[in-house]
Amino acid sequence: MTSLSIFSKKKCNPRVRYEHQISLPEITASGQKQLQSARVAIIGVGGLGSIAAELLVRMGVGALDLYDDDHIVESNLQRQTLFNEEDIGQKKVSVLARELQKINSGVTITPHDVLITEDSITQVDAPFLLDCVDNVRTRLIINEYCHKHNIPWIHMATAGTTGTVFVPGEVCFNCIYALKEELGDCTKSGILPTTNHITVSHGIIELFKLIAGKEPVRTMLRINTWSHNISHLAVKRNPLCNVCKKKYDYF
Ligand SMILES: [Zn+2]
């Protein structure tokens, strides 16, 4: 699918538009410039991905590649804030790209009506990736693909009132989730909309650090939005992890 550059780009002064970010010592003009030059792939544009996309577009990311083959259904409206009742039945990537482009015409947005599998993930060529999917199998595919091609990525997940953010590096996703058959579909445990927003907010900060060449938090962040409890779980490399030994199941 082609990018939506058909939208006329309004004249925008980045120094004005992003002044409240640039003034942050954590961002600065140089970090903003790096963000505006960055291309990010978002895998899954539902409860996590659509929120992540909105934040990145508002912050002025350079380009976004959106991957999902789902249609919008009524139950999405509870938490997927850029979709409305008129969008039910339409493709998520198409509606999201349209709404994002209205927010910031300066971002290059490319919707891909694609279900990410071990075959289709080879289409993803962005230098940064956000895992916003809802199942472990796709996460394991993302983990292997990013490990093999050395692509920095952020894992985000929610279940009930708990959100998780993890930046794989020395420790990969498979190191932690080796007992994958014990993990089910997180959508079955219910979803509190605020959990998605808080989880994505933390994930986007870690993504910015990767883009700006700063060291991300390497513990696994667990956020309980009901109790307001935030934990940093220490993670360590699993010596039995095949992915870390470059023995891939999917590639
Ligand atoms: Zn590993």
Side-chain angles (χ1 to χ4, degrees):
M1 216 176 272
T2 53
S3 60
L4 296 186
S5 52
I6 50 168
F7 282 75
S8 60
K9 295 196 176 186
K10 291 188 173 57
K11 282 199 189 301
C12 154
N13 182 345
R15 284 203 172 273
V16 175
R17 182 162 190 151
Y18 308 116
E19 64 181 346
H20 299 301
Q21 275 167 221
I22 291 169
S23 62
L24 285 167
E26 291 85 355
I27 305 276
T28 74
S30 131
Q32 183 63 36
K33 208 169 173 182
Q34 287 170 293
L35 182 63
Q36 286 173 234
S37 303
R39 182 177 200 104
V40 177
I42 301 183
I43 313 298
V45 296
L48 295 167
S50 62
I51 297 165
E54 180 179 357
L55 278 174
L56 285 170
V57 162
R58 289 192 186 279
M59 289 173 75
V61 71
L64 273 189
D65 289 341
L66 310 172
Y67 292 86
D68 204 314
D69 73 335
D70 264 355
H71 292 85
I72 298 165
V73 297
E74 192 172 5
S75 62
N76 296 151
L77 304 185
Q78 170 240 20
R79 64 196 176 282
Q80 300 177 25
T81 50
L82 286 184
F83 303 143
N84 65 55
E85 291 174 2
E86 290 178 3
D87 301 325
I88 291 171
Q90 296 188 54
K91 284 283 183 178
K92 287 187 177 180
V93 283
S94 305
V95 172
L96 187 61
R98 183 193 71 207
E99 295 304 309
L100 292 170
Q101 207 73 85
K102 287 183 203 168
I103 294 166
N104 193 339
S105 60
V107 179
T108 301
I109 298 165
T110 310
H112 301 266
D113 178 12
V114 171
L115 173 70
I116 288 298
T117 64
E118 56 269 51
D119 295 322
S120 63
I121 199 169
T122 54
Q123 299 174 26
V124 178
D125 66 352
F128 301 97
L129 188 150
L130 287 181
D131 153 28
C132 297
V133 303
D134 61 2
N135 67 88
V136 173
R137 186 175 189 275
T138 310
R139 291 189 167 110
L140 292 168
I141 292 169
I142 290 171
N143 183 58
E144 288 197 1
Y145 184 71
C146 290
H147 191 273
K148 186 175 181 185
H149 298 283
N150 208 19
I151 301 169
W153 67 289
I154 312 275
H155 160 63
M156 292 186 281
T158 55
T161 58
T162 302
T164 301
V165 178
F166 172 58
V167 185
E170 281 293 303
V171 183
C172 87
F173 181 81
N174 191 61
C175 285
I176 300 166
Y177 286 91
L179 297 172
K180 47 207 170 199
E181 62 277 7
E182 292 179 7
L183 296 162
D185 180 348
C186 62
T187 58
K188 289 176 182 158
S189 55
I191 306 166
L192 190 66
T194 52
T195 308
N196 291 44
H197 283 261
I198 291 174
T199 304
V200 170
S201 296
H202 283 279
I204 294 297
I205 292 167
E206 296 312 297
L207 174 67
F208 173 78
K209 291 176 188 172
L210 293 178
I211 290 170
K214 299 172 188 287
E215 182 59 22
V217 172
R218 292 293 186 184
T219 52
M220 177 176 272
L221 190 62
R222 274 278 159 77
I223 310 148
N224 187 300
T225 49
W226 197 259
S227 65
H228 303 285
N229 187 42
I230 298 182
S231 319
H232 287 267
L233 307 180
V235 290
K236 59 180 182 182
R237 196 175 218 178
N238 180 350
L240 300 175
C241 175
N242 279 338
V243 176
C244 285
K245 293 175 189 163
K246 301 188 177 178
K247 292 179 186 169
Y248 303 121
D249 283 341
Y250 300 107
F251 303 104

